[in-house]
Amino acid sequence: MTRARGADRRASIVRAAFEVIAERGYRGTSLAAVADRVGLTQQGLMHYFPTKEDLLTAVLETRDEWDLLHFGHAESSMTVNQLADLVDYNATRPGIVQTYTVLSADSVTEDHPARGYFHDRYERVRAGMTQMLERHRDELPPGTTPEQLAPIAIAVLDGLQLQWLLDRSEVDMSAGFRTFLTLLGIKPD
Amino acid sequence: MTRARGADRRASIVRAAFEVIAERGYRGTSLAAVADRVGLTQQGLMHYFPTKEDLLTAVLETRDEWDLLHFGHAESSMTVNQLADLVDYNATRPGIVQTYTVLSADSVTEDHPARGYFHDRYERVRAGMTQMLERHRDELPPGTTPEQLAPIAIAVLDGLQLQWLLDRSEVDMSAGFRTFLTLLGIKPD
């Protein structure tokens, strides 16, 4: 198989995984179910993604690429309004949010296959968030800096997702994130 | 076995689990390792805790009871300073924080055995946080309410734990939480 065909096949598997996650959630998504969807044997799929964690990490990487295309061309150039829109959009795809929440938390354990991915992703996202807040430096509360606030803003996003997944009738991620922006002195459109 | 002896045995198993978690982290904590520590066969331990999730949920429940004894007699009466102290204390026990992070996130999946526990815990913790913030109502930024801010404050605590577990040299939970309090207009001691 040529390298290009291999990349196409990987992309089809990841697309199938998105569909299965959307329909069945994190726990219902098995390598067997995704293989079935894409017309491969489980053995054939495991040639591309040896474990469920490998496949789901590829799903999250692909989500990051799509989100950046739709909501900002690079993490460092995303605006606060684009980020608020992204939170609204996440509220329409609980399966993906669930996958992110479970996999990012599992990655904190020793030798987890996705640990490197999440370590680097958070480093990158904190840098992007710092640059976003830098453009609002004059609005931020006195004595606070973009560097200080970036990990807190990311914590708010992650933590609200967790509470929302456990009780969607009680917790509103979009409203919560907008309230947090007002604490920073930033008014989204 | 009498009911009292059964409760003693459960308590010893939970204590042993704390030790194993502290030494080996979430992934290194197996039912077999805990059984070994407490001098039971794995089969004997499974009489009390049929799965790893059941045992770890009991560990987290016990942690909640201890923390309330040390840092406040009830979630609703804990002060902001006691909560900031609790964050400092958590920085000394990464194994337990890791267990909380992994298990709470896993619980968002369908039919997870700890889903009910975490759903109810977050409901209770949001109510307690609302009451804590109620006592600072005059300091809160104009237009915000304790009810609105409670899930955000809890999100900050959870989200900072995740980032800290992934990169302890980069993320400081204690400083982050204190910065968040200043956003609320609250000055901890």
Side-chain angles (χ1 to χ4, degrees), chain B residues 89-138:
Chain B
Y89 182 49
N90 279 338
T92 69
R93 51 177 181 179
I96 290 291
V97 175
Q98 200 184 47
T99 299
Y100 182 86
T101 295
V102 173
L103 208 58
S104 61
D106 283 358
S107 82
V108 307
T109 56
E110 297 75 11
D111 307 322
H112 191 281
R115 185 170 176 116
Y117 166 72
F118 281 105
H119 174 279
D120 295 353
R121 184 181 191 279
Y122 276 100
E123 205 162 63
R124 208 171 64 239
V125 172
R126 278 194 296 271
M129 186 68 83
T130 301
Q131 291 190 47
M132 177 187 299
L133 295 173
E134 196 67 67
R135 295 194 294 276
H136 294 270
R137 196 180 256 280
D138 297 344

Side-chain angles (χ1 to χ4, degrees), chain A residues 1-60:
Chain A
M1 195 182 308
T2 65
R3 186 181 296 186
R5 277 193 57 204
D8 282 355
R9 182 53 66 86
R10 283 176 66 93
S12 323
I13 295 169
V14 168
R15 265 198 306 277
F18 269 98
E19 292 173 14
V20 175
I21 290 167
E23 290 166 20
R24 308 191 196 174
Y26 176 86
R27 262 161 102 89
T29 299
S30 61
L31 291 182
V34 175
D36 197 48
R37 177 73 53 114
V38 79
L40 284 172
T41 61
Q42 185 170 338
Q43 204 55 38
L45 185 143
M46 288 169 72
H47 173 70
Y48 299 93
F49 300 102
T51 68
K52 180 171 171 175
E53 283 75 20
D54 292 321
L55 174 56
L56 295 181
T57 303
V59 165
L60 294 176

Side-chain angles (χ1 to χ4, degrees), chain A residues 24-28 98 100-102 104-113 115 118-119 122-123 126 141 144 148-152 154-160 162-163 165-167 170-171 175-177 179-180 182-184, chain B residues 24-28 98 100-102 104-113 115 118-119 122-123 126 141 144 148-152 154-160 162-163 165-167 170-171 175-177 179-180 182-184:
Chain A
R24 308 191 196 174
Y26 176 86
R27 262 161 102 89
Q98 200 183 47
Y100 182 85
T101 296
V102 173
S104 61
D106 284 357
S107 81
V108 307
T109 55
E110 297 75 11
D111 306 324
H112 191 281
R115 186 170 174 116
F118 281 104
H119 174 278
Y122 275 100
E123 205 162 64
R126 278 195 296 269
T144 63
Q148 264 183 327
L149 297 172
I152 299 172
I154 295 159
V156 168
L157 292 167
D158 288 346
L160 285 177
L162 175 66
Q163 292 180 63
L165 288 166
L166 282 170
D167 197 345
E170 275 296 313
V171 177
F177 184 63
T179 299
F180 176 70
T182 68
L183 294 180
L184 299 185
Chain B
R24 308 191 196 174
Y26 177 86
R27 262 161 103 89
Q98 200 184 47
Y100 182 86
T101 295
V102 173
S104 61
D106 283 358
S107 82
V108 307
T109 56
E110 297 75 11
D111 307 322
H112 191 281
R115 185 170 176 116
F118 281 105
H119 174 279
Y122 276 100
E123 205 162 63
R126 278 194 296 271
T144 63
Q148 263 182 328
L149 297 172
I152 299 172
I154 295 159
V156 168
L157 293 167
D158 288 345
L160 286 177
L162 175 67
Q163 291 179 63
L165 288 167
L166 283 170
D167 197 344
E170 274 297 311
V171 177
F177 184 63
T179 299
F180 176 70
T182 69
L183 295 180
L184 299 184

Side-chain angles (χ1 to χ4, degrees), chain B residues 24-79:
Chain B
R24 308 191 196 174
Y26 177 86
R27 262 161 103 89
T29 299
S30 61
L31 291 183
V34 175
D36 197 47
R37 177 73 52 114
V38 79
L40 284 172
T41 62
Q42 184 170 339
Q43 205 56 37
L45 185 142
M46 289 170 73
H47 173 70
Y48 298 93
F49 300 102
T51 69
K52 179 170 171 176
E53 283 76 19
D54 292 320
L55 174 56
L56 295 181
T57 303
V59 165
L60 295 176
E61 283 174 321
T62 304
R63 181 191 76 150
D64 281 346
E65 288 161 19
W66 286 357
D67 288 353
L68 286 175
L69 278 175
H70 287 99
F71 294 98
H73 293 301
E75 267 146 357
S76 58
S77 69
M78 196 184 269
T79 68

